[in-house]
Amino acid sequence: MSAQSTAPSTPDVARDFSDLEISSTVTSPAATRPSSPIPASLPPSPLPSGKHKIAVIGSGSWGSALAKIAAENAVKRNDEFHSEVRMWVREKIVNGKPLTHVINRTHLNSRYLPDIKLPRNLVATPHLKDVVKDATLIVFVVPHQFLHTVLGELSRPGVLHPGARAISAIKGVEVNGTDIETFASLIEGRVGTPCSALSGANIALEVALGQFCETTIGCPTHEDSLLWSAVFNAPTFRVSAVEDVNGVSLGGALKNIVALAAGFVDGLGLGGNTKAAILRIGLGEMTEFCLEFFEGSQRETFSNESAGIADLITTCYGGRNRKCAEEFVKSGSTFDVIEKKLLNGQKLQGTATAEEVHNFLRARKRVHAYPLFEKVYQIAFEGLPPKSLVRGL
């Protein structure tokens, strides 16, 4: 979902994997993972056609990448899915023409995924109510700053099908005083749809290019895991479903705070030892935060799943938060300036999450228990010198 890291990497890692067979010897409890391959029969659709209908709310790099996979799977399983997948695009004029017309004519989202051909059955749609009309499976992947506006429109009577299910691929948390909520929980509470969560080591461009990766889907029920695995599982996008919506949601949010710390390390010119220590400390704080404040969360989601350790590694070496934090140290510019300079209109998630988590921990009088989270907040918002990052950890 962001530009590649400027941190050193091993040159032999980037090879053509097309001739390799990628398999896993790891086995997992059947209760938390659907069998592979995906069962031929899915839970029934509430539509008269008997087919599920997919809608994607969001069209940035990550939204477009997920929409591409969903649309490809809808065609492959056209006995269970409507082939047309609609994607909400906030209308803009590009070279004198509406952006939705450009995407639907060229099958390219050149602003966020240049040169990536999108499936013909993926239809860019400017009006939200048209995107979700009769949709039974709704993917939320808008910047979190716009989520309340979207939910306000969707919560109007008659907009959503009563049998719809949702999934959130939005990174972040919402804090109100001593209360904290994931976006999956917020969506479920506002519009009344069961909501799963998707997160993992998934840089959008690499996913869209078909480079092999894994993702984790946290689901409230086994039925949800079957449906969302069918929507997203692909030969190069391996889905693992677990019954831990909060753990998957929090992994995707909190790793962005640690990624800022990793970027500070790179900006200071420190080496692999320091970054490895930051990742270990950060993973520990992510895990303990979720276990302390979200009942029923599973430690294994962080240690075993793509949504935990794998996503943390990827983000701390190749994500937008790391990149912007490195620039913060090197340039001395504010994060607002850096965001506009480097992110092509996309939003930086780590700073917003660091502030939300700080406010929550302060309200709960638990700041002292999460020293790395607090150091990142102080550097980003209070002028603490970045070189102070490792002191006292």
Side-chain angles (χ1 to χ4, degrees), residues 88-162:
W88 183 52
V89 176
R90 299 177 70 196
E91 194 68 284
K92 298 177 182 177
I93 302 301
V94 178
N95 296 326
K97 298 179 181 179
L99 178 57
T100 53
H101 292 188
V102 173
I103 293 175
N104 290 333
R105 187 185 74 254
T106 65
H107 305 290
L108 294 169
N109 187 349
S110 57
R111 181 176 184 184
Y112 294 119
L113 285 180
D115 303 322
I116 301 294
K117 206 72 174 177
L118 299 176
R120 289 184 172 273
N121 62 313
L122 179 61
V123 180
T125 307
H127 301 296
L128 189 57
K129 65 179 182 180
D130 294 333
V131 174
V132 300
K133 181 176 173 57
D134 293 328
T136 59
L137 298 169
I138 303 171
V139 183
F140 286 83
V141 62
V142 293
H144 70 269
Q145 295 92 331
F146 306 131
L147 182 58
H148 278 280
T149 301
V150 168
L151 293 177
E153 186 168 346
L154 296 182
S155 61
R156 295 173 183 171
V159 174
L160 291 183
H161 191 282

Side-chain angles (χ1 to χ4, degrees), residues 311-341:
D311 194 12
L312 180 64
I313 293 170
T314 295
T315 304
C316 288
Y317 282 89
R320 74 180 72 160
N321 293 280
R322 188 221 63 82
K323 177 181 178 180
C324 289
E326 181 181 19
E327 180 69 13
F328 176 84
V329 176
K330 290 182 173 179
S331 70
S333 300
T334 66
F335 276 111
D336 286 340
V337 170
I338 293 168
E339 180 182 83
K340 293 174 183 176
K341 175 183 175 183

Side-chain angles (χ1 to χ4, degrees), residues 65-80:
L66 288 176
K68 178 177 182 289
I69 294 172
E72 290 169 347
N73 282 342
V75 169
K76 292 175 183 176
R77 303 184 65 154
N78 59 12
D79 56 332
E80 293 165 307

Side-chain angles (χ1 to χ4, degrees), residues 129-297:
K129 65 179 182 180
D130 294 333
V131 174
V132 300
K133 181 176 173 57
D134 293 328
T136 59
L137 298 169
I138 303 171
V139 183
F140 286 83
V141 62
V142 293
H144 70 269
Q145 295 92 331
F146 306 131
L147 182 58
H148 278 280
T149 301
V150 168
L151 293 177
E153 186 168 346
L154 296 182
S155 61
R156 295 173 183 171
V159 174
L160 291 183
H161 191 282
R165 301 170 191 253
I167 191 168
S168 170
I170 306 171
K171 308 295 172 66
V173 291
E174 177 144 312
V175 171
N176 290 296
T178 58
D179 295 325
I180 188 168
E181 190 171 23
T182 66
F183 290 129
S185 175
L186 177 65
I187 291 166
E188 187 166 322
R190 286 287 301 276
V191 300
T193 60
C195 192
S196 301
L198 182 150
S199 188
N202 308 140
I203 292 177
L205 179 59
E206 296 177 15
V207 172
L209 286 169
Q211 297 179 12
F212 177 78
C213 67
E214 298 177 309
T215 199
T216 310
I217 296 179
C219 302
T221 69
H222 182 61
E223 281 195 347
D224 289 281
S225 73
L226 293 176
L227 286 165
W228 290 117
S229 293
V231 171
F232 290 116
N233 193 64
T236 59
F237 194 69
R238 180 180 292 166
V239 169
S240 167
V242 298
E243 292 185 11
D244 185 7
V245 180
N246 286 331
V248 173
S249 298
L250 265 293
L254 298 176
K255 55 99 177 189
N256 287 323
I257 304 177
V258 185
L260 291 178
F264 296 152
V265 169
D266 290 337
L268 291 166
L270 302 174
N273 290 348
T274 305
K275 184 179 274 193
I278 291 297
L279 265 66
R280 187 199 66 78
I281 295 167
L283 181 64
E285 291 194 12
M286 290 166 55
T287 306
E288 294 308 317
F289 184 95
C290 199
L291 295 176
E292 179 174 358
F293 299 113
F294 289 85
E295 185 177 355
S297 299

